[in-house]
Amino acid sequence: MIGIMRLALAGLLAITAMGGATAEDVLKARIGVLRLSSSAPVFIAQDKGYFREAGLEVELKFFDAAQPIAVATTSGDVDFGITAFTAGLYNLAGKGTLKVIGGMSREKAGYPLIGYFASNNAYAAGLKTPKDLAGKRVAMTQVGSSFHYSLGLLADKYGFKLSEVKIVPLQSLSNAAAALKGETVDAALLPISTARKLTDEGGAKFLGWVGDETPWQLGAVFASPKTLTNKALVTKLLGALAKADREYHDVILAAMKDGVAPINEQTKPLLEIIAKYTNLPVEQVVGNCAYIDPDGKLDVKNVDNQIKWLQEQGFADKGFDANAIIAKEFVKAD
């Protein structure tokens, strides 16, 4: 009897030890992100358990602008950042405090994401299209932001000087939207998820999409050199995101028509996940599904063009290029 009890106790201890080892194998990660559809694969991987299946315990930390995510990643407040490229992000990366490890959202024709919007008064006075933004007061989050770069591309396309535009940096999307509604600016660059309520209520006028005017690599996944020393953590995270990237592309993006995703048996579960994390009804999510490469690839050539443009404008430090800020062992390049 004693022998049986000892055997049972040994078995119990073995099971407990196995359970403890399993718990220890789970790696924790904090991801800085915005509540935008451009981060849809992050939300899908979190909600459907892809991070958990990969052996990760992920905490999402939400921000109201892209640049603070880059700062938080550098400082260690988050382990990974997933958001748009900014001059600030590039400057941090140029100093070696950040590395890009994957692609995320892209501005692409036919996939509404960031739009140009006019105040009602400016629209009535003749601001009818994106090329009319020369000479206007335009709100955005920050100088050197992705919005600023989009406006620079627009200026190059239509042959007006970016210096002719009065940039009004307001630090957050909500502040930019409020300024547009309050008529303290003539226009703003905003994600449709932020601007839709404004336009639906008659508080602003839609002018066009950045993706239709000037396609480019908007977002990326990045981490600090300290985080990159934990290769198991990085590999697990990118693997889970890759699974979500593919599902998002094949289920939602492949079904889109005229910039809108249908609500059906296949798309609804994913659309509901995106709606949950972006605090929007599904009926609004269908019209702002950002394009994301199904393999999570990064358009390295475009990233290099962004850096050069920002350096020429004086927004980014000189002395580095795309190759200097990319962790090549992790990045899938176009």
Side-chain angles (χ1 to χ4, degrees):
M1 183 68 176
I2 293 175
I4 294 174
M5 289 178 65
R6 284 176 176 171
L7 185 61
L9 180 60
L12 180 61
L13 290 173
I15 292 171
T16 302
M18 288 174 63
T22 301
E24 290 173 2
D25 287 342
V26 174
L27 301 174
K28 294 184 178 182
R30 297 159 298 172
I31 301 176
V33 69
L34 301 176
R35 289 189 183 276
L36 300 176
S37 66
S38 51
S39 301
V42 183
F43 308 143
I44 292 169
Q46 179 77 325
D47 211 78
K48 296 194 71 172
Y50 297 160
F51 288 135
R52 187 170 58 252
E53 290 171 7
L56 298 175
E57 181 183 323
V58 167
E59 176 190 356
L60 300 184
K61 298 190 71 172
F62 292 98
F63 293 75
D64 197 29
Q67 173 59 17
I69 296 178
V71 174
T73 306
T74 296
S75 69
D77 288 342
V78 297
D79 302 298
F80 299 93
I82 301 178
T83 190
F85 284 113
T86 64
L89 187 157
Y90 283 130
N91 281 330
L92 290 170
K95 292 179 173 65
T97 62
L98 286 179
K99 288 284 186 179
V100 177
I101 59 174
M104 191 51 70
S105 59
R106 298 187 186 191
E107 287 287 7
K108 187 177 176 72
Y111 298 88
L113 181 56
I114 306 298
Y116 313 93
F117 299 88
S119 71
N120 288 325
N121 287 346
Y123 188 85
L127 177 52
K128 305 290 187 181
T129 69
K131 67 180 179 181
D132 299 326
L133 286 171
K136 303 298 188 295
R137 289 171 53 84
V138 180
M140 57 185 63
T141 52
Q142 294 173 319
V143 170
S145 65
S146 58
F147 304 104
H148 203 162
Y149 177 67
S150 295
L151 191 58
L153 292 178
L154 189 76
D156 291 343
K157 177 179 179 178
Y158 288 112
F160 63 85
K161 294 181 180 179
L162 185 58
S163 59
E164 295 175 18
V165 180
K166 172 61 178 177
I167 304 299
V168 184
L170 295 173
Q171 308 311 313
S172 73
L173 297 172
S174 54
N175 287 346
L180 189 63
K181 182 179 180 180
E183 301 283 355
T184 58
V185 295
D186 301 310
L189 275 77
L190 295 168
I192 183 56
S193 54
T194 301
R196 190 180 300 280
K197 186 174 186 292
L198 199 59
T199 56
D200 286 350
E201 294 176 352
K205 294 290 192 298
F206 170 70
L207 301 178
W209 299 114
V210 169
D212 291 341
E213 294 283 354
T214 55
W216 62 286
Q217 178 76 56
L218 174 66
V221 186
F222 48 92
S224 68
K226 180 180 178 181
T227 297
L228 294 183
T229 61
N230 191 338
K231 293 189 181 298
L233 175 64
V234 179
T235 302
K236 288 174 183 290
L237 180 107
L238 291 178
L241 284 177
K243 184 176 181 179
D245 286 341
R246 173 59 66 176
E247 184 173 8
Y248 172 73
H249 180 277
D250 291 355
V251 175
I252 293 182
L253 297 187
M256 286 181 66
K257 185 176 181 180
D258 298 326
V260 178
I263 302 176
N264 56 38
E265 186 178 342
Q266 289 73 41
T267 63
K268 189 175 181 181
L270 296 187
L271 291 170
E272 287 179 338
I273 291 172
I274 298 169
K276 171 184 173 181
Y277 286 91
T278 57
N279 293 331
L280 294 171
V282 170
E283 291 73 21
Q284 289 189 19
V285 172
V286 298
N288 60 287
C289 294
Y291 183 82
I292 292 170
D293 183 85
D295 297 314
K297 290 181 179 178
L298 181 76
D299 187 342
V300 175
K301 182 178 179 181
N302 180 255
V303 170
D304 203 52
N305 289 340
Q306 291 180 45
I307 293 171
K308 286 183 172 63
W309 184 89
L310 289 165
Q311 289 171 335
E312 289 170 359
Q313 299 295 322
F315 299 142
D317 299 333
K318 297 185 183 297
F320 69 93
D321 58 12
N323 287 327
I325 68 167
I326 290 172
K328 295 179 181 179
E329 65 268 38
F330 298 114
V331 168
K332 297 176 183 177
D334 262 358

